[in-house]
Amino acid sequence: MPIPTGKMERPAATFYDIVIVGAGPVGLMLSTLLARLGYKIKHIDNRAEPTPRGRADGIQPRSMDLLQNMGLMAPIMTHDPAKVYEVAFWEPSPDGSDSIVKTGAWPSCPSFLQARYPFTTLLHQGLIERVFIDDLAKSGVSVQRPWTIKDFKTTGEHPEHPVEVLLEREDGLFQQKLYAKYLFSGEGARSGIRQALGIPVTYKDPISYVWAVMDGVVQTDFPSIKMKCTIHSNRGSIMVIPRENNMVRLYVRIASSADPDFDPRKGATEEEVQQIAKEILRPYSITWENVDWFSVYPIGQGIAANYTLDQRVFLGGDACHTHSPKAGQGMNTAFLDAQNLAWKIHAVESGFASREILKTYETERKAVAEDLLSFDNKYAKLFSQKAPPASAMGTSGSGSKTDGSNTEHVNDFVETFKASCAFTSGYGVKYGPNQINWSGLSESSSSIPGSELLCPRNVKLQPGNLMMTADVTRVADANVVALEQEIPENGAFRIYIFAGNPSLPTTATALQDLATYSMAKGSYLAEYLRDDIESVSYHERHNPHSRHFTFCTILAAQHGDVDPVKMLPPLLARYRDHVYADDVDDRRLSRGRFAAHTKLGVQDLADGGVVVVVRPDGYVGASVCLKPGRATVDALNLYFSGFCAKPLGCA
Amino acid sequence: MPIPTGKMERPAATFYDIVIVGAGPVGLMLSTLLARLGYKIKHIDNRAEPTPRGRADGIQPRSMDLLQNMGLMAPIMTHDPAKVYEVAFWEPSPDGSDSIVKTGAWPSCPSFLQARYPFTTLLHQGLIERVFIDDLAKSGVSVQRPWTIKDFKTTGEHPEHPVEVLLEREDGLFQQKLYAKYLFSGEGARSGIRQALGIPVTYKDPISYVWAVMDGVVQTDFPSIKMKCTIHSNRGSIMVIPRENNMVRLYVRIASSADPDFDPRKGATEEEVQQIAKEILRPYSITWENVDWFSVYPIGQGIAANYTLDQRVFLGGDACHTHSPKAGQGMNTAFLDAQNLAWKIHAVESGFASREILKTYETERKAVAEDLLSFDNKYAKLFSQKAPPASAMGTSGSGSKTDGSNTEHVNDFVETFKASCAFTSGYGVKYGPNQINWSGLSESSSSIPGSELLCPRNVKLQPGNLMMTADVTRVADANVVALEQEIPENGAFRIYIFAGNPSLPTTATALQDLATYSMAKGSYLAEYLRDDIESVSYHERHNPHSRHFTFCTILAAQHGDVDPVKMLPPLLARYRDHVYADDVDDRRLSRGRFAAHTKLGVQDLADGGVVVVVRPDGYVGASVCLKPGRATVDALNLYFSGFCAKPLGCA
């Protein structure tokens, strides 16, 4: 019996908030974030099942922060992934013996980065995908497989859902037409949506490479097999990355477009790659018990000219940027692309922000991808240099000092190394000034009320940077907590009030005024109160007043001395689980007390505190001095009026 | 149709290693540990399903160490339990106003205990039971419900399975007779097995009490509602314990046998208990959104005269000891009862130890229960005293000092407090000298070879104490790890070799000799090698040579300088994942380097190292000096010959 084609469209399912094509890391992260916020999602993938093996597998520290903030770190850790704390370097032996020797090892995420999770987590991409898929199920979203996108166009037929999308099952027997507010391509490097939009891919580095990658269980006496290693021998180079379940991944570059006889279709068999590895590892031995995944693929450093043309159809992840796998950045950049886009779509669709902020997705994330591509080259250069001893890197715990010889080389190396660590960990990624990352005022407008309090000079947390990590004591239950993790990723801005000394009368006045003026007509908070504010649960922890803001108050005091009800205005005291004492020692700081205030740059508590506005994705939007009077709220209104949908400020 | 009774016995299922009656904490812990070791278990419970709500819910730090060691901490933590770091004390206001004021708050597990997880974890007992039940399923064991034990006797019919047990389904329609090596009662305070054995319960404190306990979701402005609190007011006393899901548990003592009109059947309604709580909490308000569990029960401080009569039928948990719920020790003592018994049964049944060691279950665990009961009184007294300020307790981070007044009271209080914390955390539990906790030799036998090296004076880790916590760097992958957690609970002894400075020639010799003589005929290791030693997997991490031993080597060196293959004899280097560098700073120690050696008491590395033998349950069995020659192994043989089934020592 012939099955009818193109007749399966069910009217009830025709309208969606977003259609997401591709269920790799970028698509799943976007889908998960939006599904949790209640958006209606059609998510398709042309594969019949999640990634069965291989592919990307390194979760960097910054990505782990995000996963933890989403509650997804624990399910990832139940798979017992490998954790990489160090990168070891092996070079040809200087004795001319044709063997290799270890010349150094550096922490992959040195302590100066102050990462919460200072390691790279290595786990098969399919297991990571399943963590997202399980979470999506809780929101009632499943990935429709194996389906592809056949066509899409922007129409005026349904103004609220301007993107018309035609989907088709892989076997071509069923089609589905639907209307969406947004369409997202997480299709990977060969994105059909990108091609249909005519967005060109440009190449930073004209050289492209052919890589072989092999995952397998090995037996070896090579001592660094459980660390990330780069091995240069006289017979070639490989990179070693440990994996879960006793597996090891090897990367071998088998051709470069700089080679005289370059063939981008050059292949290699499993046996050939194993033979190359055996040669390189001599005098150590290596044998394979099994090979879980083997692939040879050409890759270039490409970047899409645009991430969107109309702020309705977006690209992310490998659809926008491709690069060598060596720095382990593909999946991580994809996660952060999706996170960046998700909260902005929510800000617009929930009526909080003007549609303009969607343009910052491209400006912010494309700049990161460009940095990534430049970095990819520097990183390659770094690996081809001879590493100075770890003691010269200032990162070892041994405390031994460089001998002063060859200082320039060492300094140069150290600088590149530090920049590399910042970049690969994700902690070095920062966004430039724009309407959401406060950039200062032009001279003519600097007389606007409150502007003088914005972006205080002493504050180290500048707009566009990630919120710092800090341990503080939660007053309600005396738990020592990670301040930057206390508010879950839920689309709300995070207002951190570093209030200073609560026993100063000016502190009490400043906090009271902050509360009073925030609730004054025309203010950022008053304009975005919940419709159901009268019936909000007593147990609502994060958003009792507004779905767009959570307030955290951090006091420079011992937690036993803090009485929130007596010290804070009712507005702030209502955040019963978000009052903290800055009384946890930080061993990196010489002054023991008030470590979070000190890290922030608030040294002199008599000067008053600082309000740090953190975007829903954890990056600082603005910092404002906390002073008695209305100027602090004026400054906040000035900041938010840069992108909010409603006019804010002096009522 | 009548269903036949007593005819369901299936011959294939007649023989078991152990029958466990009761699936509360003690039964489930025992079942889980033995099931993982491959024992055949019949586990029954007379309840139709796991605890639906209420009951015990506090997991102490020491128990959490065990759960983490079993890989069960993560599934418990996914339920987002409350964590208690502090105990707050509220007393009648000194101003005579009839209200209550907070007089102090102390850490519930102060830093001097060096706990890995310095908090109490609060979670509904049923969720904890389900974590075990899920784990049992992986070993193919399920709890048969609702079944009870009808009868048991020890017979000579099947010498290997001397305990004949008759089970019956709760409705009396089915019976099952079977033969087991062991029978265990985890039936709770009213244990029928204990009664059948005629074991009397004696009472330490002649006073018994009636308690009301209520779990529910509350709304309150009482500031310490998320901490553990004791509240004494002029209108009565209650204890508050936070729970998961916004719940709070209240304990109210409603009668004491010391009262003139004591009635052990005295009751109280939910409303009455809520009214008592409201009175006590004034001027704060409290209302209930719902009550999840409410119970009123009389309880006395009972202890069973014996834990076993024949080392075949054992009791554990509440079947052996009952006490007030206030110190939160019931479930924790139950867990550790089961852990203590499990490894001893395994040691006997696997042919490692002589049957005599089963007697130490009673001697070790009954002493703990007796301590618990004495402690219960002291704890009550502590709570009735007025607490000195936290600053006087030496446990606050503020560094302020006591003013010197009332020093004696403070000192007395501090001592009781410290002892209490040690006890309630589980870290203070230690076992007395016996054949497994090295107790020294009589003078006449002190000439036995090796004896002079046993139990070195400088070593702080004395036999019977819990292995210390220590952070070290695992050399293979540079991960910073918790040394005491590195070997999973699997029934094997843990041989920690604190080797000192690996570059000293005497260290190399001592390690080589340790390896050589351990493998000499008649030695503890050589006598207990695996039968399948020739075919053990390359990836076996813990027990490549013997199922009864795992060797860990800790070197006083920077991890980058350690080359296990060059520095260790092949026997020890084979434990590729158990070579550690003692290079992680401990902020509690003034000397930064070699913190684990320093904590152990090995100050002068030139004197050689120490071998610490840790029992499978994490308690130290013996310490032995590590010296060149055969004396170190002689000493180990001397220790193990105290309880091993085979003769050990000089071949």
Side-chain angles (χ1 to χ4, degrees):
Chain A
M1 198 174 77
I3 297 168
T5 298
K7 298 199 171 164
M8 289 300 288
E9 185 183 336
R10 278 162 296 181
T14 304
F15 293 94
Y16 285 87
D17 288 313
I18 188 165
V19 176
I20 297 173
V21 184
V26 72
L28 287 168
M29 175 62 85
L30 183 64
S31 194
T32 301
L33 289 169
L34 290 176
R36 289 174 171 202
L37 292 167
Y39 290 96
K40 190 175 172 193
I41 296 165
K42 171 67 79 177
H43 196 164
I44 64 164
D45 193 282
N46 61 7
R47 301 172 296 166
E49 57 178 18
T51 304
R53 58 184 64 83
R55 294 220 194 184
D57 60 0
I59 302 174
Q60 301 295 355
R62 162 66 189 123
S63 302
M64 193 53 89
D65 286 341
L66 168 58
L67 292 166
Q68 169 70 350
N69 202 221
M70 296 173 69
L72 300 180
M73 182 175 176
I76 283 173
M77 287 301 170
T78 60
H79 293 291
D80 203 14
K83 292 186 209 164
V84 167
Y85 280 80
E86 275 194 0
V87 186
F89 297 85
W90 289 76
E91 304 285 340
S93 172
D95 66 6
S97 69
D98 205 32
S99 68
I100 52 173
V101 293
K102 184 166 136 184
T103 56
W106 317 325
S108 62
C109 186
S111 60
F112 68 82
L113 292 171
Q114 303 191 19
R116 180 65 57 187
Y117 309 108
F119 49 82
T120 305
T121 303
L122 291 138
L123 188 69
H124 161 217
Q125 182 177 330
L127 294 173
I128 299 169
E129 290 175 6
R130 280 178 177 82
V131 166
F132 283 95
I133 289 167
D134 290 348
D135 195 80
L136 278 173
K138 295 178 196 161
S139 309
V141 175
S142 62
V143 178
Q144 187 170 314
R145 305 172 183 269
W147 279 65
T148 57
I149 180 164
K150 285 298 286 182
D151 199 9
F152 67 95
K153 62 186 174 204
T154 308
T155 73
E157 196 176 339
H158 302 285
E160 286 289 301
H161 295 81
V163 192
E164 182 184 315
V165 184
L166 182 66
L167 306 179
E168 186 177 87
R169 208 170 74 175
E170 265 292 315
D171 58 14
L173 296 179
F174 294 92
Q175 286 193 336
Q176 194 170 20
K177 189 165 84 177
L178 42 86
Y179 298 90
K181 291 176 180 165
Y182 300 95
L183 170 64
F184 181 79
S185 164
E187 302 164 286
R190 288 189 287 265
S191 166
I193 294 173
R194 185 190 67 220
Q195 290 169 28
L197 291 171
I199 294 174
V201 174
T202 54
Y203 292 87
K204 194 107 180 170
D205 179 351
I207 300 175
S208 63
Y209 300 97
V210 179
W211 285 85
V213 55
M214 178 182 289
D215 285 349
V217 178
V218 302
Q219 295 192 15
T220 181
D221 56 357
F222 177 63
S224 300
I225 198 70
K226 296 209 170 182
M227 299 197 201
K228 179 170 173 180
C229 307
T230 55
I231 307 169
H232 299 120
S233 83
N234 297 327
R235 296 169 299 279
S237 300
I238 56 178
M239 180 174 245
V240 173
I241 295 178
R243 299 280 309 265
E244 75 280 8
N245 291 333
N246 296 315
M247 279 197 291
V248 172
R249 168 168 291 188
L250 298 184
Y251 282 112
V252 185
R253 207 177 77 188
I254 59 174
S256 155
S257 62
D259 299 341
D261 58 347
F262 176 63
D263 172 6
R265 288 194 210 88
K266 177 165 179 175
T269 65
E270 271 182 42
E271 291 68 30
E272 282 164 355
V273 170
Q274 289 179 357
Q275 195 53 44
I276 293 171
K278 285 180 184 194
E279 292 291 325
I280 292 171
L281 279 175
R282 277 201 321 234
Y284 300 100
S285 69
I286 185 167
T287 56
W288 274 260
E289 289 185 11
N290 69 59
V291 172
D292 188 60
W293 185 55
F294 176 70
S295 181
V296 176
Y297 53 94
I299 197 151
Q301 280 198 337
I303 191 163
N306 297 98
Y307 281 32
T308 179
L309 296 178
D310 59 356
Q311 291 88 54
R312 288 290 183 179
V313 182
F314 289 94
L315 318 173
D318 286 1
C320 297
H321 41 78
T322 60
H323 38 83
S324 92
K326 228 157 67 168
Q329 292 305 304
M331 178 162 64
N332 295 284
T333 308
F335 281 152
L336 299 180
D337 282 352
Q339 184 203 21
N340 191 291
L341 181 58
W343 77 262
K344 291 171 183 172
I345 286 179
H346 174 62
V348 169
E349 294 303 318
S350 62
F352 181 70
S354 70
R355 188 159 283 280
E356 280 295 299
I357 75 156
L358 291 173
K359 292 183 178 166
T360 66
Y361 168 62
E362 176 176 301
T363 53
E364 290 190 340
R365 296 305 302 170
K366 193 177 166 202
V368 169
E370 278 165 354
D371 284 352
L372 172 57
L373 266 54
S374 330
F375 163 75
D376 209 15
N377 286 323
K378 276 192 218 144
Y379 199 64
K381 189 177 154 216
L382 187 70
F383 278 156
S384 67
Q385 280 182 299
K386 189 155 190 296
S391 58
M393 305 293 292
T395 57
S396 153
S398 69
S400 50
K401 284 172 192 161
T402 170
D403 61 2
S405 67
N406 204 6
T407 312
E408 201 175 332
H409 163 64
V410 169
N411 283 346
D412 199 34
F413 198 94
V414 168
E415 286 313 306
T416 314
F417 166 65
K418 286 191 172 181
S420 300
C421 293
F423 201 87
T424 53
S425 68
Y427 277 87
V429 170
K430 56 188 74 174
Y431 297 133
N434 59 23
Q435 63 265 53
I436 34 179
N437 309 322
W438 181 256
S439 49
L441 291 161
S442 62
E443 272 194 32
S444 63
S445 58
S446 61
S447 60
I448 294 175
S451 62
E452 75 281 6
L453 298 189
L454 265 158
C455 217
R457 284 216 177 163
N458 59 317
V459 170
K460 291 178 191 157
L461 266 185
Q462 291 300 307
N465 282 265
L466 202 56
M467 167 73 180
M468 67 186 186
T469 56
D471 289 339
V472 292
T473 305
R474 192 162 56 205
V475 170
D477 60 7
N479 281 212
V480 174
V481 297
L483 180 62
E484 79 285 1
Q485 285 286 353
E486 279 284 285
I487 307 171
E489 177 95 19
N490 69 357
F493 276 74
R494 305 160 182 200
I495 314 289
Y496 290 97
I497 304 159
F498 291 86
N501 182 346
S503 55
L504 292 177
T506 50
T507 302
T509 311
L511 289 171
Q512 182 56 60
D513 289 344
L514 175 66
T516 304
Y517 294 111
S518 290
M519 288 296 270
K521 190 166 173 350
S523 273
Y524 67 102
L525 178 60
E527 291 300 309
Y528 289 104
L529 293 176
R530 294 172 67 135
D531 295 337
D532 60 350
I533 191 165
E534 296 302 325
S535 59
V536 169
S537 163
Y538 170 89
H539 301 288
E540 170 60 44
R541 293 178 61 180
H542 309 300
N543 301 99
H545 303 109
S546 168
R547 295 191 194 277
H548 302 291
F549 301 104
T550 302
F551 291 84
C552 293
T553 310
I554 305 101
L555 300 168
Q558 298 299 314
H559 69 274
D561 300 332
V562 174
D563 184 334
V565 171
K566 287 193 186 136
M567 291 176 174
L568 303 183
L571 180 91
L572 299 178
R574 169 61 186 84
Y575 296 80
R576 291 184 294 270
D577 297 306
H578 289 306
V579 181
Y580 306 92
D582 186 5
D583 63 355
V584 180
D585 280 351
D586 185 319
R587 72 167 89 185
R588 286 175 290 248
L589 295 176
S590 49
R591 292 182 58 212
R593 298 180 74 174
F594 314 133
H597 281 74
T598 306
K599 275 165 116 174
L600 181 65
V602 181
Q603 302 278 358
D604 185 353
L605 297 173
D607 276 358
V610 173
V611 179
V612 180
V613 179
V614 175
R615 309 169 3 161
D617 57 359
Y619 290 86
V620 175
S623 297
V624 180
C625 294
L626 176 69
K627 298 279 187 195
R630 63 172 299 149
T632 299
V633 172
D634 283 342
L636 291 170
N637 285 334
L638 185 60
Y639 164 72
F640 282 111
S641 62
F643 59 92
C644 274
K646 300 184 190 177
L648 299 177
C650 316
Chain B
M1 197 174 76
I3 296 168
T5 298
K7 296 200 172 164
M8 291 300 288
E9 186 183 335
R10 277 162 297 181
T14 303
F15 293 93
Y16 285 86
D17 288 313
I18 187 164
V19 176
I20 297 172
V21 184
V26 72
L28 287 168
M29 175 63 85
L30 183 64
S31 192
T32 302
L33 288 169
L34 290 176
R36 288 176 172 200
L37 292 166
Y39 290 96
K40 189 175 172 193
I41 296 165
K42 170 67 78 178
H43 196 163
I44 64 163
D45 193 280
N46 61 6
R47 300 173 296 165
E49 58 178 18
T51 303
R53 57 183 64 81
R55 294 218 194 187
D57 60 0
I59 303 174
Q60 301 295 355
R62 162 67 189 124
S63 302
M64 193 53 89
D65 286 342
L66 168 59
L67 292 167
Q68 168 70 347
N69 202 222
M70 296 172 70
L72 300 181
M73 182 176 176
I76 283 172
M77 286 302 170
T78 60
H79 292 291
D80 203 14
K83 292 187 210 165
V84 166
Y85 280 79
E86 275 193 0
V87 186
F89 297 85
W90 289 76
E91 304 284 342
S93 172
D95 66 5
S97 69
D98 205 33
S99 68
I100 52 173
V101 292
K102 184 166 135 185
T103 55
W106 318 324
S108 61
C109 185
S111 62
F112 67 81
L113 292 170
Q114 304 192 17
R116 180 66 57 187
Y117 309 108
F119 49 82
T120 305
T121 302
L122 292 137
L123 189 67
H124 160 217
Q125 182 177 329
L127 293 173
I128 298 169
E129 290 175 6
R130 280 178 177 81
V131 166
F132 283 96
I133 289 168
D134 291 348
D135 195 81
L136 278 171
K138 295 179 195 159
S139 308
V141 175
S142 62
V143 179
Q144 187 170 314
R145 304 172 184 269
W147 279 66
T148 59
I149 180 164
K150 284 299 285 181
D151 199 9
F152 67 94
K153 62 184 174 206
T154 307
T155 73
E157 195 176 340
H158 301 286
E160 285 288 300
H161 296 79
V163 192
E164 182 184 315
V165 184
L166 182 65
L167 305 179
E168 187 176 87
R169 208 169 75 174
E170 266 291 314
D171 57 13
L173 295 178
F174 294 93
Q175 285 193 336
Q176 194 170 19
K177 188 164 84 178
L178 43 85
Y179 297 90
K181 292 176 180 165
Y182 301 95
L183 170 63
F184 181 81
S185 163
E187 301 164 287
R190 288 189 287 263
S191 166
I193 293 174
R194 186 190 66 221
Q195 291 168 27
L197 291 173
I199 295 174
V201 174
T202 54
Y203 293 86
K204 195 105 180 171
D205 179 351
I207 302 175
S208 62
Y209 300 97
V210 179
W211 285 86
V213 54
M214 179 183 288
D215 285 349
V217 177
V218 302
Q219 295 193 14
T220 181
D221 56 357
F222 178 62
S224 300
I225 198 70
K226 296 209 170 182
M227 300 196 201
K228 179 170 172 179
C229 307
T230 55
I231 307 170
H232 299 119
S233 82
N234 298 327
R235 295 169 299 278
S237 299
I238 56 178
M239 179 174 245
V240 173
I241 296 178
R243 299 278 310 265
E244 75 281 7
N245 291 333
N246 296 316
M247 278 197 291
V248 172
R249 168 168 292 189
L250 298 185
Y251 281 112
V252 185
R253 208 177 78 188
I254 58 173
S256 154
S257 61
D259 299 341
D261 57 345
F262 176 64
D263 171 7
R265 288 194 210 87
K266 177 167 178 174
T269 65
E270 270 182 43
E271 290 67 32
E272 281 164 354
V273 169
Q274 290 179 356
Q275 194 53 44
I276 293 171
K278 285 180 185 194
E279 292 292 324
I280 292 171
L281 280 175
R282 278 200 322 231
Y284 300 101
S285 70
I286 185 167
T287 57
W288 274 260
E289 288 186 12
N290 68 60
V291 172
D292 190 59
W293 184 56
F294 176 70
S295 180
V296 176
Y297 53 94
I299 196 152
Q301 280 197 337
I303 190 163
N306 296 98
Y307 281 33
T308 179
L309 296 178
D310 59 356
Q311 291 86 56
R312 289 290 183 178
V313 182
F314 289 93
L315 318 172
D318 286 0
C320 297
H321 40 78
T322 59
H323 38 84
S324 93
K326 228 156 70 167
Q329 292 305 304
M331 178 163 64
N332 295 283
T333 308
F335 281 153
L336 299 180
D337 282 351
Q339 183 202 22
N340 191 292
L341 181 58
W343 78 261
K344 291 171 183 173
I345 286 179
H346 175 61
V348 169
E349 294 303 319
S350 62
F352 181 70
S354 70
R355 188 159 282 280
E356 281 294 302
I357 74 158
L358 290 173
K359 292 183 178 166
T360 66
Y361 168 63
E362 177 176 301
T363 52
E364 291 190 338
R365 296 305 301 170
K366 194 177 165 201
V368 169
E370 278 165 353
D371 284 352
L372 171 58
L373 266 53
S374 328
F375 163 76
D376 209 15
N377 287 322
K378 276 192 219 144
Y379 198 65
K381 187 178 155 216
L382 187 71
F383 279 156
S384 67
Q385 281 182 299
K386 190 156 189 295
S391 56
M393 305 294 291
T395 56
S396 153
S398 69
S400 49
K401 284 172 194 161
T402 169
D403 61 2
S405 66
N406 203 4
T407 311
E408 201 175 331
H409 163 64
V410 169
N411 283 346
D412 199 34
F413 198 95
V414 168
E415 286 313 306
T416 314
F417 167 64
K418 286 190 173 182
S420 300
C421 293
F423 201 87
T424 52
S425 67
Y427 277 87
V429 170
K430 56 187 74 174
Y431 296 132
N434 60 22
Q435 63 265 52
I436 33 179
N437 309 320
W438 181 256
S439 49
L441 290 162
S442 63
E443 272 195 33
S444 63
S445 59
S446 63
S447 61
I448 294 176
S451 62
E452 75 282 6
L453 298 190
L454 264 159
C455 218
R457 284 216 177 162
N458 58 317
V459 170
K460 292 176 191 158
L461 266 184
Q462 291 301 307
N465 282 265
L466 202 55
M467 166 75 179
M468 66 187 186
T469 56
D471 289 339
V472 292
T473 305
R474 192 163 57 204
V475 170
D477 60 8
N479 281 212
V480 174
V481 297
L483 180 61
E484 79 284 1
Q485 285 285 353
E486 279 285 284
I487 306 171
E489 176 95 20
N490 68 359
F493 276 73
R494 306 160 180 200
I495 314 288
Y496 290 96
I497 304 159
F498 290 86
N501 182 347
S503 55
L504 292 177
T506 50
T507 303
T509 311
L511 289 171
Q512 182 56 59
D513 290 344
L514 175 66
T516 304
Y517 293 111
S518 291
M519 288 297 270
K521 189 167 172 353
S523 273
Y524 68 102
L525 178 59
E527 290 301 309
Y528 289 104
L529 293 177
R530 294 172 68 135
D531 294 338
D532 60 350
I533 191 166
E534 295 301 325
S535 58
V536 170
S537 163
Y538 170 89
H539 301 288
E540 171 60 44
R541 292 178 61 179
H542 309 300
N543 302 99
H545 302 110
S546 168
R547 295 192 194 276
H548 303 291
F549 300 105
T550 302
F551 292 84
C552 293
T553 310
I554 305 100
L555 300 168
Q558 298 300 313
H559 69 274
D561 299 333
V562 173
D563 184 334
V565 171
K566 287 193 185 136
M567 292 176 173
L568 303 183
L571 179 90
L572 299 178
R574 169 62 186 85
Y575 297 81
R576 292 184 294 269
D577 297 307
H578 289 306
V579 181
Y580 306 93
D582 187 5
D583 64 354
V584 180
D585 281 352
D586 185 319
R587 71 168 88 185
R588 285 177 288 249
L589 295 176
S590 49
R591 292 183 57 212
R593 298 178 75 173
F594 313 134
H597 281 74
T598 305
K599 275 165 117 174
L600 182 65
V602 181
Q603 301 278 358
D604 185 353
L605 298 172
D607 276 357
V610 172
V611 179
V612 180
V613 179
V614 175
R615 308 169 4 160
D617 56 359
Y619 290 86
V620 175
S623 296
V624 180
C625 293
L626 176 68
K627 298 280 188 195
R630 63 171 300 149
T632 299
V633 172
D634 283 341
L636 291 170
N637 286 334
L638 185 59
Y639 165 71
F640 282 110
S641 62
F643 58 92
C644 274
K646 299 184 191 178
L648 299 178
C650 315

